[in-house]
Amino acid sequence: MNPIRYVEPVFRPPSEAESLILPVTDGCSWNRCTFCEMYTAPQKKFRPRDEDEILETIKRCADVYVGDVRRVFLADGDAMTLSTRRLVTILDAIKRDMPAVRRVSSYCLPRNVKKKSVEELRELAELGLSMVYVGAESGDDLVLEKINKGETFDTTRDALLKLGEAGIKRSVMILNGLGGEVFSDQHAKNSARLANETQPEFLATLVVSFPKGDARLRANYPEFTPLGIQGLMREMELFVDTLDLRRTVFRSDHASNWLVLKGTLGADKAKLLEQLRAAIAAPDRAPLRPAWARGL
């Protein structure tokens, strides 16, 4: 019997594949981004989980998995919307009942960081919350407005800086292609500027996609025209070329990406640009992921 009550579908970052997925909320408290379909199913309506249920789940996991759990990911899309008190209670319980856990992480909306002081965030870090995944999507204010993100360059930058000051590692995600044909350049340049000003520990890109259609996106973004493979790679070239990072682990290896890129920036910037430019110049010889293998 599974010790955890899941509400399907369940999402987690690729790097949390080996983690225990522990729901502390259902859904996403914002859930208005027009590009995102993750929490639109009716059963995923946002609600914080009952604290007693969470604590009981942690106890059951401790009994079932004994000392095997090393990482915990707090689901669903918005664990950091919980009050500091509730998060402290959850982290305390994980530390007490599953002492082998070495890392706790979660998704994080910038707006929820604004509600917490550096001291509160530092307390969470000391209790084991070592990394958060921030879907910045873009650093361009116009694109952010078009997709109804509810954030701006400034609010995202401020949240990332506050998290860094508190000692919580930041994994930032940018959506390749979100600017479409019209806003591609400014999307690439301002997204790079966001990374440059915050120097996150991890940076990743995914290709924007719409498995259920793009009607929601187009309601406020009628001029959106998707980029083809060449356009996506040109946007990536501009993005990487504009980056000025000191020591950020960079990954563009999600199943949605056509061209897999991995490196540390800035040490590997020249190598990554060389890979991109070679693929742009000769796409027929580039190691592109076949369309059937892309996970959207």
Side-chain angles (χ1 to χ4, degrees), residues 240-283:
V240 173
D241 194 39
T242 310
L243 288 172
D244 185 14
L245 300 173
R246 293 186 289 274
R247 196 172 180 181
T248 295
V249 175
F250 175 70
R251 294 289 183 268
S252 185
D253 58 352
H254 182 266
S256 64
N257 297 111
W258 290 98
L259 180 67
V260 173
L261 299 168
K262 298 180 182 180
T264 300
L265 294 169
D268 297 320
K269 180 174 177 176
K271 181 190 76 173
L272 295 172
L273 285 171
E274 182 181 351
Q275 289 177 267
L276 279 162
R277 288 165 182 164
I280 292 168

Side-chain angles (χ1 to χ4, degrees), residues 14 173-177 204-211 227-229 232-233 236 251-261 288-296:
M173 192 272 290
I174 299 294
L175 278 174
N176 183 201
T205 64
L206 284 68
V207 173
V208 66
S209 58
F210 309 98
L227 296 175
I229 299 175
L232 289 167
M233 288 194 291
M236 280 294 296
R251 294 289 183 268
S252 185
D253 58 352
H254 182 266
S256 64
N257 297 111
W258 290 98
L259 180 67
V260 173
L261 299 168
L288 300 182
R289 181 179 275 128
W292 62 264
R294 295 177 68 235
L296 305 178

Side-chain angles (χ1 to χ4, degrees), residues 31-267:
N31 202 28
R32 301 175 200 172
C33 299
T34 57
F35 69 91
C36 181
E37 302 168 351
M38 288 170 65
Y39 305 107
T40 54
Q43 71 271 20
K44 301 298 281 188
K45 182 179 179 181
F46 176 75
R47 60 179 64 84
R49 291 220 172 176
D50 182 79
E51 188 171 297
D52 289 340
E53 179 187 4
I54 298 169
L55 298 180
E56 183 59 34
T57 299
I58 293 170
K59 288 180 181 176
R60 287 200 301 269
C61 288
D63 291 339
V64 170
Y65 301 120
V66 193
D68 293 338
V69 178
R70 298 290 184 274
R71 294 183 176 186
V72 174
F73 178 76
L74 304 179
D76 255 340
D78 200 6
M80 288 292 284
T81 194
L82 296 180
S83 68
T84 301
R85 184 203 65 77
R86 290 200 68 183
L87 288 168
V88 165
T89 301
I90 292 166
L91 292 169
D92 271 336
I94 292 171
K95 188 177 286 287
R96 179 187 66 243
D97 297 335
M98 294 191 286
V101 169
R102 295 292 174 262
R103 185 178 96 177
V104 181
S105 57
S106 78
Y107 286 130
C108 178
L109 300 181
R111 63 173 38 82
N112 292 328
V113 176
K114 187 175 182 179
K115 300 174 185 177
K116 294 174 172 58
S117 68
V118 173
E119 290 71 26
E120 288 176 297
L121 293 169
R122 192 171 286 132
E123 180 182 12
L124 298 178
E126 290 170 354
L127 287 171
L129 183 67
S130 54
M131 185 162 74
V132 294
Y133 298 85
V134 179
E137 330 305 357
S138 178
D140 185 76
D141 282 342
L142 179 58
V143 172
L144 292 170
E145 181 183 352
K146 291 284 185 183
I147 64 170
N148 198 28
K149 179 67 181 177
E151 302 287 354
T152 65
F153 177 95
D154 288 343
T155 61
T156 307
R157 178 196 59 202
D158 292 350
L160 291 170
L161 291 174
K162 185 187 281 189
L163 288 162
E165 184 179 352
I168 296 175
K169 293 179 181 177
R170 303 142 306 161
S171 182
V172 176
M173 192 272 290
I174 299 294
L175 278 174
N176 183 201
L178 192 59
E181 290 186 359
V182 178
F183 306 120
S184 179
D185 283 5
Q186 65 194 67
H187 167 57
K189 290 177 181 177
N190 287 322
S191 297
R193 184 166 65 95
L194 176 67
N196 293 343
E197 292 192 18
T198 56
Q199 297 290 315
E201 289 76 16
F202 300 90
L203 177 64
T205 64
L206 284 68
V207 173
V208 66
S209 58
F210 309 98
K212 298 179 183 178
D214 60 4
R216 289 177 69 237
L217 179 85
R218 288 187 181 279
N220 192 51
Y221 200 171
E223 65 272 55
F224 179 79
T225 303
L227 296 175
I229 299 175
Q230 285 285 89
L232 289 167
M233 288 194 291
R234 288 193 181 97
E235 183 179 281
M236 280 294 296
E237 179 194 12
L238 179 58
F239 174 63
V240 173
D241 194 39
T242 310
L243 288 172
D244 185 14
L245 300 173
R246 293 186 289 274
R247 196 172 180 181
T248 295
V249 175
F250 175 70
R251 294 289 183 268
S252 185
D253 58 352
H254 182 266
S256 64
N257 297 111
W258 290 98
L259 180 67
V260 173
L261 299 168
K262 298 180 182 180
T264 300
L265 294 169

